[in-house]
Amino acid sequence: MQFDTSSPIWVQLVGEFSRRIVTGEWAAGEKMPGVRELAADLGVNPNTAQRALAELERLELCRSERATGRFVTHDDARIDEVRADLATDAADEFVRRVRGLRMAHDQARALLDKRWDSHEHHTTDIPDGGGA
């Protein structure tokens, strides 16, 4: 993972860990990697990884069990809320960027539809909600 200077590393880790949860890389109810393992894998200080994991607990995406570790929440509704938040952020960024390019709404929609179809093979297990 590459870090940028626009926000603290622990905040970027919260985003990365949230992404791992909503995509199922860390499945609901599954034991999460330990602080030291995450820190070593990502090349960060264990205190930084710990801070990000504490924030995930505050966000109710995981829970700690004394002497056994951290576990991803079983709350599918909470995971769906975070997924929607991450998707909203991505959509807002897309809109900001294409507006900055002075692209018309219809052109942006056509571009998104075209790109969506070209990435279909990556998301065959995700049903098309069609609504948003």
Side-chain angles (χ1 to χ4, degrees):
M1 179 174 174
Q2 295 214 352
F3 300 105
D4 61 43
T5 58
S6 64
S7 63
I9 293 173
W10 72 269
V11 172
Q12 295 174 57
L13 290 177
V14 170
E16 172 61 17
F17 297 164
S18 297
R19 182 200 61 77
R20 291 179 184 191
I21 291 170
V22 303
T23 62
E25 185 177 335
W26 292 346
E30 180 179 285
K31 185 173 182 182
M32 297 168 63
V35 171
R36 292 190 192 284
E37 181 183 348
L38 286 170
D41 287 348
L42 297 167
V44 299
N45 185 296
N47 293 333
T48 302
Q50 174 64 35
R51 185 168 182 186
L53 291 169
E55 181 65 9
L56 281 187
E57 283 189 56
R58 191 189 71 72
L59 295 171
E60 299 178 358
L61 287 174
C62 70
R63 69 184 188 293
S64 290
E65 292 185 11
R66 191 175 190 96
T68 58
R70 279 192 178 81
F71 295 83
V72 175
T73 183
H74 283 286
D75 187 348
D76 290 333
R78 180 66 187 128
I79 293 171
D80 286 343
E81 287 174 20
V82 172
R83 180 180 293 113
D85 289 345
L86 292 172
T88 297
D89 291 346
D92 288 347
E93 176 65 11
F94 174 77
V95 169
R96 185 190 65 75
R97 293 179 86 176
V98 298
R99 280 188 170 175
L101 296 170
R102 302 184 57 80
M103 184 178 277
H105 182 247
D106 289 343
Q107 290 174 306
R109 183 184 303 264
L111 174 64
L112 183 58
D113 287 343
K114 180 179 177 182
R115 300 304 299 157
W116 186 274
D117 292 343
S118 73
H119 287 271
E120 192 168 299
H121 65 281
H122 295 290
T123 59
T124 55
D125 60 335
I126 301 171
D128 183 3

